[in-house]
Amino acid sequence: MTISVQISRGVEALFGTNDQNIRLLENGLQVQTRLMQDSVEIEGEEAAVIRAAAILEDYVALVKEGHTFSNGDLNSYLRVVTEDPEVTLRALVHSARQRHFGKKALAPKTVNQRRYVEAIERTDLTFGVGPAGTGKTYLAVAMGVSALLSKRVSRIILTRPAVEAGERLGFLPGTLQEKVDPYLRPLYDAIYDMLEAEKVEKLLERQVVEVAPIAFMRGRTLNDSFIILDEAQNSTPEQMKMLLTRQGFQSKMVVNGDVTQIDLPAGKRSGLLDALEVLRGVEGISFVHFDERDVVRHSLVQRIVKAYERHNEMTGAGRQLALRLGDAGGEAPETAEPAS
């Protein structure tokens, strides 16, 4: 099947640098495109061609309405609409206009980011699990700021395990808060990006926004709050249970972590891994898993994440083979140690 979509302007942005945007559309929907004099011709299976045409027609209409697409944003939008047939380009672009987080207006850039934002809105406890750079922390803070500004909660609690805040930092000058602040910096950075600096300082001073290590949460009941636990893979099962049971009335909690970057001492089980196992299937809890396709930093970061995953799979398989050979009395082959 072949369909032509008239495009009078915005062709350069549509195709993108080195045609990467149109290639994303082609690969995502398994269609072929040809640029004609004033149109784009789409060829392929009927359903895919109709879907691609609808996306391009949305693009043309948005450009006529005056919307300007940056190359990076359009690429991110196309990645979402080619993977999720329920999402239209127009709806995705409009969601960016409608979602204001303080001084920021954001739209989910991947399918899993969209699911994550919807899960936070829908349920009171959401787990976001996946590699660095997938927007887990940033979007969680954005949702917290939105809830605070719309008065759905009265405070935001931002917390992380400070695994390095023990004896290794004991020689550093300053209070305990000053010692652990470097490990809470990403949370500060995200909220300063959402709100004016003076407003953040006032909110911190009044403890409307609280940034603290997870140990500071013990014994409290957190009512009417938006609670974010970041770097949850470095919590212990005891810390995780303690924090999850702090959640009070009219509160939401978001728990984020990357199970491939656990910095706990050898022999200590991750509280995030424990929670994923224990809470699976519990009603009212959402689990959103991110992967390298959701990395929204430099494209090289996606390839780095994928390379580490492949390496870990290969070395893990090598160890299992060595153990089996050892059990059978054979000579175990040498395997490389995983990257630290």
Side-chain angles (χ1 to χ4, degrees), residues 148-335:
L148 181 68
L149 294 179
S150 60
K151 302 189 185 306
R152 297 195 302 274
V153 298
S154 62
R155 58 180 172 170
I156 299 174
I157 310 288
L158 308 172
T159 185
R160 293 180 103 183
V163 294
E164 295 88 350
E167 294 180 357
R168 281 177 288 174
L169 289 182
F171 66 90
L172 292 177
T175 64
L176 175 61
Q177 189 69 47
E178 290 168 336
K179 290 176 190 287
V180 300
D181 268 357
Y183 304 100
L184 302 170
R185 192 74 253 168
L187 296 172
Y188 284 109
D189 290 344
I191 201 160
Y192 273 103
D193 206 28
M194 304 288 164
L195 299 169
E196 301 295 336
E198 289 184 5
K199 186 166 189 175
V200 176
E201 296 298 336
K202 288 180 181 177
L203 293 173
L204 288 168
E205 185 179 333
R206 290 160 41 206
Q207 293 195 318
V208 173
V209 173
E210 182 179 349
V211 187
I214 192 172
F216 286 26
M217 301 297 114
R218 190 172 297 279
R220 302 173 61 182
T221 300
L222 304 174
N223 293 318
D224 199 25
S225 303
F226 196 103
I227 308 139
I228 300 170
L229 171 59
D230 200 35
E231 298 291 331
Q233 75 275 5
N234 288 328
S235 66
T236 65
E238 295 78 16
Q239 287 175 325
M240 177 65 75
K241 181 181 177 183
M242 178 271 291
L243 184 71
L244 294 178
T245 55
R246 298 307 94 201
Q247 186 171 1
F249 295 108
Q250 306 301 318
S251 290
K252 279 187 179 288
M253 184 179 293
V254 181
V255 177
N256 292 325
D258 178 0
V259 295
T260 68
Q261 295 194 36
I262 297 172
D263 299 318
L264 291 167
K268 283 276 189 181
R269 179 166 169 77
S270 166
L272 178 57
L273 286 173
D274 194 65
L276 293 176
E277 184 179 311
V278 172
L279 300 178
R280 183 69 61 189
V282 174
E283 185 179 355
I285 302 177
S286 294
F287 299 88
V288 180
H289 293 268
F290 298 86
D291 57 36
E292 79 282 352
R293 294 172 297 176
D294 300 300
V295 173
V296 291
R297 294 177 181 170
H298 193 289
S299 59
L300 181 59
V301 176
Q302 289 186 348
R303 297 195 291 273
I304 290 171
V305 170
K306 192 64 178 176
Y308 271 99
E309 287 181 354
R310 284 197 304 268
H311 176 74
N312 289 337
E313 287 171 3
M314 290 172 62
T315 54
R319 284 200 186 85
Q320 289 178 7
L321 176 61
L323 289 171
R324 286 200 299 271
L325 288 173
D327 290 341
E331 185 177 348
E334 293 184 2
T335 57

Side-chain angles (χ1 to χ4, degrees), residues 49-183:
V49 169
I50 291 172
R51 174 66 175 156
I55 292 169
L56 293 189
E57 286 165 359
D58 273 354
Y59 173 79
V60 171
L62 288 163
V63 170
K64 284 181 179 177
E65 292 166 13
H67 189 87
T68 302
F69 290 90
S70 71
N71 187 58
D73 281 347
L74 183 56
N75 191 271
S76 297
Y77 292 145
L78 290 174
R79 193 186 312 169
V80 175
V81 296
T82 55
E83 291 185 17
D84 192 337
E86 296 181 4
V87 182
T88 66
L89 181 61
R90 175 176 287 277
L92 197 57
V93 171
H94 284 173
S95 72
R97 295 172 181 166
Q98 294 163 359
R99 288 184 182 277
H100 287 276
F101 305 102
K103 60 183 181 180
K104 285 281 183 178
L106 302 174
K109 293 183 180 294
T110 71
V111 172
N112 285 327
Q113 284 191 357
R114 177 173 169 264
R115 290 171 180 154
Y116 179 65
V117 168
E118 290 176 350
I120 294 172
E121 291 177 332
R122 187 178 65 254
T123 57
D124 288 338
L125 176 57
T126 302
F127 284 81
V129 185
T134 50
K136 302 184 302 296
T137 300
Y138 198 80
L139 286 172
V141 172
M143 295 295 285
V145 167
S146 176
L148 181 68
L149 294 179
S150 60
K151 302 189 185 306
R152 297 195 302 274
V153 298
S154 62
R155 58 180 172 170
I156 299 174
I157 310 288
L158 308 172
T159 185
R160 293 180 103 183
V163 294
E164 295 88 350
E167 294 180 357
R168 281 177 288 174
L169 289 182
F171 66 90
L172 292 177
T175 64
L176 175 61
Q177 189 69 47
E178 290 168 336
K179 290 176 190 287
V180 300
D181 268 357
Y183 304 100

